[in-house]
C-alpha cells in the first residue's frame, strides 16, 4: 500500500463503505510498520480541507465514528499485544502509540475537527479525570477599540454596520470579525485595537493595508497616514498584508524591532512570554532592524531575535505552521509541549502549570482551533506522553500516561 491508497482507504471508512479483511490487513501493515513520519503527516493533512469546513463537532454521526474507531482500536490492541508477547522494549510500544496518535489525528480531522477522541474514548473514573463541564470553549472574534480620548468600544458587542467616532471618523464593522476605516476625517488621531486572551480580530487600516491579530495582541495606528511614512506599533502576534505605496514605506514597531516594507505579506510574533521576536516573510521583501542589527528577508525566511541577543538568526520555517493561527488551526511540527501550552493559554484564556519535567515532550499534528480545550488535550493524551488536569480555568500538565 502507498500513501494515495491509504488516504483512499481512510476516506472509504469515513464514508461508511465496507472494506475487505485483506484491505484492512494491508492498511494495518502499512500504517503500523511501513509508513514514514512524513507519510503519516500527509495522511492527516489530506483531510485538512474537510476539517476547515466543519462548523461544529459531528457528535450525532455515531455510525461513522464507531466504524473508524473500531478499526483504530483493533489495529492498536493487536500490535501492542504482539509487542508484549515478543517481549520487546517499551520504546517500541511507545512508537506504536505515536502512530496510533497519527491515525487518530487523521480520523479526527476528517470527522469532527479534533473532537473524535473525546467523544469516543471511554471515561476513566478517579480524580485525574477531566471534569465533564470543564470543556473550555475556544476563542472567537473579540476585540476592544480604544479611541484617542480613551473611550473604549467592545467590538464583539457592537452591532454590524457603521460606527461613528469623534473627529468625523466612520468605521464599518462586518459580521466576520473585522473593522475597516471608511472615512477618516481631517484630524489625525491614534486608535488602538486589542484582542484579549481567547480573541482574534481583523483590521483594515486607513491606507487599505490588512492586519490579522492573534489572541492577546494589540496594534496602535493613526486614523490617517500623513507625511512620508506609515508607522504602526504592535504587541503579541499579527499578520500584515501591506498596501503598496512606494512613496510611503510601511513600518511596524514591535518591541525593539522595526520591520520596514513597501508592499508585502508577513507575520510578526512578539509575545512577552516567548524567548524571541520572530518575523516571517511570506511575500515581497522586508528590512528588519533592532539597534545595530539589520537583515533583509526574502520570501520563506524567518528572522528571530532572542531576548538578550544583538544579532538576528535566520531560518526557513514551515510557513503553514507559522500561519496556522490565521488559518484557524493548531499545527504542530515536533513542537514542544510548553510551546503548545502557551498557544492553548492564549486561545482558551487559561492558566497553565507544570507538574514534573516535560521539556523533552514534542508533538506533530493538525487540529482545528474551533475545538474545545478538552478535546485538544485529550487528543494529545492519546499518545501516552502526557496527561492533563483541568480545574476551573487552570490546566496542569503532567508527564506520562494517565494512571
Amino acid at each position: 500500500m502507498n500513501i494515495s491508497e491509504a488516504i483512499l482507504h481512510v476516506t472509504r471508512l469515513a464514508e461508511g463503505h465496507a472494506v475487505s479483511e485483506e484491505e484492512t490487513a494491508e492498511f494495518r501493515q502499512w500504517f503500523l510498520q511501513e509508513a514514514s513520519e512524513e507519510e503519516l503527516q500527509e495522511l492527516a493533512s489530506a483531510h485538512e480541507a474537510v476539517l476547515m469546513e466543519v462548523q461544529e463537532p459531528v457528535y450525532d454521526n455515531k455510525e461513522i465514528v464507531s466504524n473508524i474507531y473500531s478499526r483504530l482500536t483493533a489495529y492498536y490492541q493487536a500490535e501492542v499485544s504482539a509487542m508484549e508477547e515478543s517481549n520487546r522494549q517499551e520504546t517500541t510500544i511507545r512508537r506504536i502509540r505515536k502512530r496510533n496518535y497519527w491515525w487518530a489525528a487523521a480520523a479526527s480531522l476528517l470527522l469532527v475537527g479534533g473532537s473524535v477522541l473525546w467523544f469516543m474514548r471511554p471515561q476513566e473514573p478517579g480524580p485525574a479525570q477531566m471534569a465533564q463541564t470543564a470543556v473550555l470553549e475556544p476563542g472567537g472574534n473579540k476585540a476592544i477599540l480604544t479611541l484617542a480620548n480613551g473611550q473604549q468600544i467592545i467590538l464583539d458587542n457592537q452591532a454590524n454596520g457603521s460606527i461613528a467616532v469623534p473627529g468625523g471618523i466612520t468605521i464599518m464593522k462586518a459580521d466576520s470579525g473585522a473593522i475597516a476605516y471608511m472615512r477618516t476625517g481631517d484630524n489625525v488621531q491614534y486608535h488602538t485595537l486589542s484582542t484579549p486572551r481567547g480573541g482574534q480580530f481583523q483590521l483594515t487600516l486607513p491606507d487599505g493595508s490588512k492586519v490579522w491579530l492573534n489572541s492577546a495582541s494589540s496594534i496602535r495606528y493613526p486614523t490617517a497616514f500623513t507625511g512620508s511614512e506609515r508607522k504602526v506599533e504592535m504587541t503579541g502576534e499579527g499578520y500584515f498584508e501591506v498596501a503598496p505605496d512606494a512613496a510611503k514605506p510601511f513600518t511596524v514597531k514591535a518591541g525593539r524591532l522595526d520591520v520596514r516594507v513597501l508592499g508585502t505579506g508577513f507575520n510578526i510574533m512578539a509575545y512577552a512570554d516567548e524567548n524571541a521576536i520572530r518575523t516571517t516573510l511570506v511575500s515581497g521583501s522586508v528590512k528588519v532592524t533592532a539597534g545595530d542589527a539589520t537583515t533583509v528577508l526574502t520570501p520563506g525566511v524567518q528572522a528571530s531575535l532572542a531576548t538578550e541577543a544583538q544579532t538576528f538568526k535566520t531560518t526557513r520555517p514551515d510557513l503553514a505552521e507559522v500561519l496556522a493561527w490565521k488559518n484557524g488551526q493548531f499545527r504542530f511540527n515536533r513542537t514542544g509541549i510548553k510551546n503548545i501550552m502557551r498557544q492553548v493559554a492564549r486561545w482558551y484564556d487559561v492558566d497553565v502549570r507544570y507538574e514534573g519535567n516535560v521539556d523533552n515532550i514534542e508533538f506533530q499534528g493538525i487540529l482545528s482551533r474551533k475545538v474545545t480545550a478538552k478535546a485538544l488535550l485529550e487528543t494529545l493524551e492519546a499518545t501516552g506522553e502526557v496527561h492533563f488536569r483541568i480545574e476551573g480555568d487552570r490546566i496542569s500538565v503532567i508527564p506520562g500516561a494517565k494512571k
Side-chain angles (χ1 to χ4, degrees):
M1 177 171 285
N2 57 36
I3 180 62
S4 298
E5 293 169 335
I7 291 172
L8 178 61
H9 181 82
V10 172
T11 303
R12 290 181 62 202
L13 289 178
E15 292 175 347
H17 296 300
V19 294
S20 66
E21 292 184 7
E22 181 178 324
E23 290 172 319
T24 298
E26 186 177 2
F27 176 81
R28 178 177 175 275
Q29 170 74 18
W30 176 86
F31 177 80
L32 291 169
Q33 312 231 349
E34 300 171 3
S36 66
E37 287 294 320
E38 290 73 20
E39 287 175 322
L40 292 174
Q41 291 184 52
E42 187 176 348
L43 178 65
S45 299
H47 305 294
E48 205 170 331
V50 177
L51 161 74
M52 301 322 299
E53 294 176 1
V54 175
Q55 299 300 316
E56 298 293 339
V58 192
Y59 293 130
D60 57 340
N61 205 329
K62 296 180 181 180
E63 183 177 354
I64 290 180
V65 171
S66 177
N67 189 13
I68 291 286
Y69 189 57
S70 63
R71 285 160 176 77
L72 166 62
T73 302
Y75 298 152
Y76 173 66
Q77 291 179 344
E79 190 68 15
V80 170
S81 296
M83 294 296 133
E84 290 174 342
E85 288 175 7
S86 60
N87 196 28
R88 296 192 184 184
Q89 297 296 318
E90 172 65 18
T91 54
T92 305
I93 296 178
R94 289 178 68 185
R95 175 180 63 82
I96 298 304
R97 286 174 178 164
K98 287 186 177 182
R99 288 177 176 258
N100 172 41
Y101 165 62
W102 271 110
W103 166 239
S108 65
L109 286 174
L110 176 62
L111 294 176
V112 296
S115 297
V116 66
L117 287 175
W118 174 31
F119 175 80
M120 296 185 305
R121 288 178 61 211
Q123 298 297 324
E124 300 176 15
Q129 179 180 327
M130 287 190 268
Q132 291 292 325
T133 57
V135 295
L136 299 178
E137 295 297 331
N141 295 319
K142 304 172 186 176
I144 297 174
L145 179 64
T146 303
L147 307 180
N149 62 6
Q151 177 186 351
Q152 292 189 328
I153 300 174
I154 301 176
L155 293 174
D156 35 310
N157 292 340
Q158 189 75 24
N160 297 331
S162 62
I163 305 171
V165 301
I169 298 170
T170 301
I171 303 170
M172 184 66 66
K173 178 179 181 289
D175 59 3
S176 58
I179 60 170
Y181 282 73
M182 308 303 294
R183 186 176 61 177
T184 58
D186 299 326
N187 181 24
V188 178
Q189 303 177 20
Y190 277 84
H191 290 179
T192 299
L193 182 70
S194 56
T195 55
R197 294 206 303 178
Q200 63 182 13
F201 222 77
Q202 183 181 341
L203 164 69
T204 300
L205 292 167
D207 67 335
S209 297
K210 295 182 178 180
V211 184
W212 287 257
L213 281 185
N214 201 352
S215 303
S217 304
S218 70
I219 180 169
R220 184 176 183 269
Y221 53 92
T223 56
F225 291 106
T226 59
S228 59
E229 69 173 352
R230 297 170 287 170
K231 190 170 185 177
V232 301
E233 299 178 19
M234 68 154 288
T235 64
E237 185 168 21
Y239 180 80
F240 292 78
E241 287 184 357
V242 177
D245 187 345
K248 290 185 178 181
F250 192 100
T251 302
V252 181
K253 182 172 181 58
R256 59 190 181 118
L257 204 71
D258 287 312
V259 180
R260 185 179 177 88
V261 305
L262 292 176
T264 189
F266 60 98
N267 191 85
I268 299 179
M269 186 174 71
Y271 286 114
D273 61 352
E274 296 288 342
N275 60 8
I277 301 176
R278 298 177 177 86
T279 304
T280 309
L281 184 64
V282 176
S283 62
S285 178
V286 299
K287 180 181 180 181
V288 188
T289 303
D292 295 331
T294 299
T295 186
V296 177
L297 301 184
T298 54
V301 175
Q302 178 182 92
S304 300
L305 184 68
T307 304
E308 302 297 333
Q310 301 302 316
T311 58
F312 291 102
K313 177 182 178 182
T314 57
T315 57
R316 286 189 171 273
D318 179 356
L319 290 182
E321 182 180 3
V322 172
L323 301 179
W325 69 269
K326 175 179 173 288
N327 298 324
Q329 299 173 330
F330 291 105
R331 185 182 283 260
F332 309 135
N333 184 12
R334 299 191 184 280
T335 306
I337 185 63
K338 289 187 176 180
N339 184 324
I340 292 173
M341 294 310 297
R342 287 195 294 272
Q343 298 180 48
V344 168
R346 296 175 195 131
W347 186 235
Y348 295 98
D349 189 13
V350 295
D351 294 322
V352 177
R353 71 176 186 180
Y354 300 90
E355 298 180 9
N357 186 358
V358 297
D359 290 343
N360 296 323
I361 298 176
E362 298 178 338
F363 293 95
Q364 295 186 145
I366 307 166
L367 292 169
S368 170
R369 296 223 307 178
K370 296 176 183 177
V371 304
T372 65
K374 187 172 186 291
L376 184 151
L377 298 179
E378 290 223 7
T379 302
L380 299 181
E381 280 187 342
T383 66
E385 298 288 334
V386 67
H387 64 283
F388 306 90
R389 183 173 63 250
I390 299 179
E391 299 169 304
D393 59 358
R394 185 175 66 186
I395 298 174
S396 296
V397 184
I398 308 161
K402 186 182 297 184
K403 303 296 184 181

